[in-house]
Amino acid sequence: VLPTREITVKVSTTAESESGSKNPVLGDKIRDTLKVEGTVREGDWTTVELFRTEAGKAPQCDADTKVWESDKILLIPGTTEYATNWYTPTDAGTHYFVETSYDADGNVLSKGVCGEPDETITVSEKPVTPSGTSTVKPVKPGSLASTGATGTILGLGGIALVIAGAAATILARRKGLTN
């Protein structure tokens, strides 16, 4: 039985990855953001559970598919936006966030629905890069291609020329002294 007072929790999901991609891959962190509407009283709180199924399968949010639960989020009167702590998925598939909000006595005020489009994120496997491949960088028009010669190689060449010049000078002086 729900209490006579209800709050509305409008939830949107945000996936964040180091690359800024909206299509997370394994290793990227994801979280849920919550927008709360209605009367919030001191002691109200929310948690968010995350469920996973294989990509392409029907949403299923139960104990067998639960992979994570957020820390308890205390709702503060006058504050409307909250975010869960971050979670790093360990398996690829479709992930479903479901929030549940409670009053100070633990009575359910609102509960999300499994499979809401705004609450669904598909996490993919990391793309595999074959070993032994190289990355080719395009060359700007009108510039020389990078051949791998660096300042170090050029510096060593300069030192070799100085040594060769010094050796030639010493040999020339010796020849001049013996004649």
Side-chain angles (χ1 to χ4, degrees), residues 57-140:
K57 296 218 173 178
Q60 183 178 344
C61 300
D62 58 28
D64 292 335
T65 61
K66 183 177 172 179
V67 294
W68 175 80
E69 185 171 348
S70 73
D71 292 339
K72 184 177 183 178
I73 301 168
L74 290 175
L75 302 178
I76 301 166
T79 303
T80 59
E81 293 192 26
Y82 303 86
T84 66
N85 45 309
W86 292 103
Y87 172 72
T88 305
T90 56
D91 293 302
T94 304
H95 292 71
Y96 307 99
F97 287 105
V98 177
E99 64 71 34
T100 306
S101 296
Y102 304 88
D103 67 13
D105 296 324
N107 297 309
V108 175
L109 296 170
S110 70
K111 184 168 179 70
V113 177
C114 180
E116 289 278 334
D118 289 344
E119 292 297 293
T120 302
I121 297 176
T122 299
V123 177
S124 303
E125 297 280 345
K126 275 190 174 179
V128 177
T129 304
S131 60
T133 61
S134 65
T135 304
V136 178
K137 294 182 180 177
V139 178
K140 293 180 191 173

